[in-house]
Amino acid sequence: MQNKMTEAQKFSLIKREAIYTGLALVGLIIFWLVAGFGTAGIDAKIFHLPLWAFLGSIGVWIFAIGISFILSRKLFKDIDLDENLNSSLLTPNSSLKKGGNGDD
């Protein structure tokens, strides 16, 4: 069973995760700059592409997947943001299931 978190604790966790995401973006941009522009002078090819083109496109994509994996597995925490969710909205007879707006 999960411990109940206060609103302040939830917002603190969300803020921390947003900072991690921002830092990941900065890291991704730095990797893109180094991989693309930093390797432009190297005369090497991967799959018939210049090294800078491969690392600046496919390499960045792979790096972004790695960052996302680390963020989701190690740094992010799954929490319930709405503990007061009305359980009737989740039942098959719910007005949301029938296309209603749930206000009735």
Side-chain angles (χ1 to χ4, degrees), residues 64-89:
I65 290 172
I67 287 176
S68 299
F69 183 80
I70 291 169
L71 286 174
S72 66
R73 298 290 178 160
K74 302 290 182 190
L75 301 175
F76 290 173
K77 182 179 178 184
D78 188 19
I79 61 170
D80 184 17
L81 294 177
D82 188 11
E83 293 176 355
N84 299 324
L85 182 63
N86 186 353
S87 63
S88 68
L89 294 176

Side-chain angles (χ1 to χ4, degrees), residues 20-65:
Y20 286 147
T21 304
L23 291 173
L25 175 62
V26 169
L28 186 64
I29 292 170
I30 290 170
F31 178 84
W32 173 72
L33 289 171
V34 171
F37 296 109
T39 60
I42 299 173
D43 188 28
K45 294 187 184 275
I46 299 177
F47 302 117
H48 303 288
L49 289 171
L51 182 62
W52 67 267
F54 182 83
L55 291 178
S57 57
I58 299 171
V60 172
W61 181 72
I62 294 169
F63 189 73
I65 290 172

